[in-house]
Amino acid sequence: MTQIALLGLILFAYISPVLALNDAQQLVVESWRLVNQSYVDSYRFKEIDWKDLRQKALEKTIENSEQAYKAIEAMLLPLGDPYTKFLRPSDYSMLKSSTEGNVNGVGIQLGARSSDGHIVVIAPLEGSPAAEAGLISGTEIFEVDGESVDKLGLEATAARLRGQSGSQVVIKAILPMNSRNSSQAKSDHQNVTEFVLDRQQIDLHPVQSSILTANEQKIGYIQITQFSEGVSEQVIKALNEINKQNVEMLIVDLRNNSGGLVNAGLEIANQLLDKGTIVETVNRDGISETIQSSKNQLFTGPMITIVNRGTASAGEILAGALQDNNRSQLIGGQTFGKGLIQSLISLGDGSGLTVTVARYMTPQGRDIQKLGITPDYLLALPEPLNPGEDKDLWLSNSKILLELSKKSTNKIN
Ligand SMILES: *[C@@H]1O[C@H](CO)[C@@H](O)[C@H](O)[C@H]1NC(C)=O
Ligand SMILES: *[C@@H]1O[C@H](CO)[C@@H](O)[C@H](O)[C@H]1NC(C)=O
Ligand SMILES: *[C@@H]1O[C@H](CO)[C@@H](O)[C@H](O)[C@H]1NC(C)=O
Ligand SMILES: *[C@@H]1O[C@H](CO)[C@@H](O)[C@H](O)[C@H]1NC(C)=O
Ligand SMILES: *[C@@H]1O[C@H](CO)[C@@H](O)[C@H](O)[C@H]1NC(C)=O
């Protein structure tokens, strides 16, 4: 009698937390399960007592989303992987829309001015609320919604400008000399102008292409700032155009391309390589997969690829594939060093997870995690604020090298 009752009790005690899980607790359990089934390094689970972390997370009071979010963050922290992380709804939607090639904001790219470190507009995106209001390149930003940008810093200032489409943001700024008038702006002190902008969905235009000239030679220039949806199609279109115009040489600019969709990077490598290994991925069971490029190479001429510290992830997959196949020399700065691949997972309540699901190696078997890729030509020049423009010395150097490499191949042939 007693024994059965006891067993019943134990059973009850064991099952009850599962049965009684509220929505917030379920979010925690679901996050644990998703990471459990896909995280790249299952050995790590033993080291950090992964099962116990789930238990510990559920012992806390979890009755609302905020408590669930905190519990998930605390649970993932011991993994020690900055790329396996919880994304609050605003971060999740931002990442999701950036993989779709757009962002909700006002359409300006910000940077720190090299002379004094002040935050300035690098360029407004065409047709964006910022461009229409007259925020031009060189405009110095002072305040966003009443907060000083000195306190916020570059990243947080950029984050404050993003937000739901339709919402408003107030910017105080100083326009560069000789351009201090705009119908929508009202001046409060002498030079500081206040802008009230409506945020909207902004197309990031991650692919820009043009045809440059150097010593009467035509050079195709394709700048890819992110691998979002549709990017490989846009690059293919640009390459077709370059071929149509009989342009013999190509510069691919991957500066500050922090990655995005791995498939977009693979597809572009496929267009530039003539049969060869693009990358080797290794999943959590240690199973490696080699991805080969097909024989149909869209562009066959000499090329050079510009990289920098901001070139990461899928950007490094592409750069590594081009370098290891001797297809393109790299010029610029050491790349970031992200040799891990993540999945983006929606948790259904607006939040989400990124989970590292695989590692990758370049065709010659280099693991670039935390190391990055060293370009063939390291440039010690200051980074230009507006890449692709006239004063971009990295680009001028690339042109020179490309011409030289073309001459030397001609000689050999
Ligand atoms: C966690 O993952 C392991 C290994 O894949 C699996 O055997 C186990 O059933 C998973 N646990 C849960 C609760 O999903
Ligand atoms: C400034 O306003 C004047 C007229 O008030 C106009 O002629 C001029 O083009 C404006 N300049 C700019 C840069 O918008
Ligand atoms: C306004 O501009 C003038 C020169 O055009 C400059 O001397 C002055 O410091 C500026 N004032 C502010 C508040 O930035
Ligand atoms: C690239 O060139 C290096 C040095 O010439 C050579 O060792 C290597 O095998 C080449 N790689 C490919 C994929 O052709
Ligand atoms: C790359 O990003 C860094 C940091 O945001 C910035 O300082 C630099 O000017 C950018 N470089 C290019 C070429 O866009």
Side-chain angles (χ1 to χ4, degrees):
M1 233 346 235
T2 350
Q3 256 184 340
I4 290 167
L6 196 65
L7 191 65
L9 204 75
I10 291 165
L11 206 60
F12 181 71
Y14 179 70
I15 288 174
S16 71
V18 181
L19 289 178
L21 286 187
N22 60 38
D23 287 353
Q25 288 170 318
Q26 261 166 28
L27 204 67
V28 178
V29 171
E30 182 62 4
S31 300
W32 185 92
R33 194 186 64 78
L34 288 164
V35 175
N36 184 60
Q37 76 181 27
S38 52
Y39 185 62
V40 67
D41 184 0
S42 49
Y43 291 106
R44 188 81 190 121
F45 289 156
K46 287 193 196 97
E47 291 167 10
I48 60 168
D49 214 344
W50 178 236
K51 269 193 182 149
D52 194 49
L53 287 172
R54 173 181 183 273
Q55 204 51 44
K56 284 214 176 91
L58 291 173
E59 276 163 14
K60 301 202 187 87
T61 309
I62 301 173
E63 282 162 355
N64 56 41
S65 303
E66 184 53 34
Q67 289 167 343
Y69 295 171
K70 289 226 164 79
I72 297 167
E73 282 163 351
M75 188 172 78
L76 297 181
L77 203 61
L79 279 172
D81 171 11
Y83 306 116
T84 297
K85 63 179 181 199
F86 176 71
L87 300 167
R88 282 161 188 261
S90 58
D91 296 330
Y92 176 77
S93 70
M94 204 179 83
L95 191 57
K96 185 89 176 80
S97 64
S98 87
T99 64
E100 287 159 1
N102 60 61
V103 67
N104 289 321
V106 298
I108 39 181
Q109 202 191 340
L110 294 179
R113 189 159 56 198
S114 52
S115 56
D116 54 13
H118 288 181
I119 294 175
V120 294
V121 173
I122 294 176
L125 286 163
E126 234 178 272
S128 67
E132 273 163 26
L135 279 159
I136 58 170
S137 179
T139 303
E140 183 176 341
I141 309 285
F142 257 82
E143 258 181 41
V144 176
D145 281 341
E147 279 202 79
S148 144
V149 303
D150 285 344
K151 279 197 205 126
L152 291 169
L154 187 58
E155 289 297 311
T157 301
R160 288 298 156 97
L161 294 175
R162 294 186 291 257
Q164 248 187 348
S165 178
S167 62
Q168 281 191 332
V169 59
V170 180
I171 297 175
K172 283 196 183 147
I174 297 184
L175 291 168
M177 293 286 179
N178 308 326
S179 59
R180 283 181 187 147
N181 54 343
S182 159
S183 52
Q184 278 142 302
K186 69 171 195 280
S187 245
D188 39 18
H189 346 169
Q190 201 188 354
N191 315 338
V192 179
T193 309
E194 185 175 288
F195 296 86
V196 180
L197 306 179
D198 292 321
R199 295 185 182 99
Q200 65 180 47
Q201 186 174 318
I202 309 284
D203 184 343
L204 291 174
H205 297 293
V207 180
Q208 303 278 351
S209 64
S210 55
I211 291 170
L212 314 170
T213 50
N215 296 330
E216 291 165 17
Q217 302 229 47
K218 288 196 282 184
I219 299 176
Y221 174 67
I222 303 181
Q223 183 186 30
I224 312 167
T225 51
Q226 192 157 29
F227 293 112
S228 46
E229 276 166 29
V231 158
S232 53
E233 290 82 353
Q234 289 171 45
V235 170
I236 289 170
K237 205 172 139 206
L239 289 172
N240 280 325
E241 185 58 31
I242 283 167
N243 285 334
K244 214 166 79 188
Q245 308 245 351
N246 294 317
V247 176
E248 287 177 43
M249 298 183 279
L250 175 67
I251 296 174
V252 171
D253 191 344
L254 299 177
R255 280 176 289 177
N256 284 357
N257 182 326
S258 59
L261 305 173
V262 171
N263 279 343
L266 299 178
E267 183 50 35
I268 294 165
N270 186 35
Q271 301 300 333
L272 295 170
L273 293 172
D274 177 29
K275 225 171 168 328
T277 299
I278 299 174
V279 75
E280 187 182 338
T281 61
V282 184
N283 73 6
R284 73 186 210 146
D285 302 314
I287 295 170
S288 63
E289 187 191 355
T290 303
I291 297 164
Q292 299 284 345
S293 92
S294 65
K295 256 201 310 208
N296 302 319
Q297 188 182 11
L298 189 51
F299 181 81
T300 56
M303 65 178 287
I304 193 155
T305 305
I306 318 180
V307 294
N308 73 355
R309 176 89 195 132
T311 307
S313 200
E316 292 175 295
I317 293 183
L318 174 56
L322 295 171
Q323 191 183 45
D324 281 5
N325 284 288
N326 298 337
R327 172 68 182 96
S328 168
Q329 289 190 308
L330 307 183
I331 182 170
Q334 184 82 11
T335 67
F336 181 83
K338 182 168 173 231
L340 303 170
I341 296 171
Q342 284 75 39
S343 269
L344 179 61
I345 304 168
S346 162
L347 287 172
D349 76 329
S351 67
L353 296 167
T354 53
V355 182
T356 300
V357 294
R359 305 171 188 288
Y360 72 84
M361 258 97 65
T362 69
Q364 296 201 4
R366 291 187 284 165
D367 178 357
I368 61 131
Q369 174 63 14
K370 292 188 180 159
L371 299 173
I373 299 172
T374 308
D376 304 273
Y377 301 97
L378 262 172
L379 296 180
L381 303 163
E383 293 236 349
L385 263 186
N386 207 355
E389 301 295 311
D390 289 345
K391 286 181 198 147
D392 182 351
L393 290 177
W394 290 37
L395 183 56
S396 333
N397 278 272
S398 308
K399 284 188 198 170
I400 295 167
L401 270 169
L402 193 52
E403 285 176 85
L404 286 176
S405 73
K406 184 169 180 253
K407 281 197 192 112
S408 66
T409 24
N410 282 353
K411 253 185 249 152
I412 295 162
N413 290 348

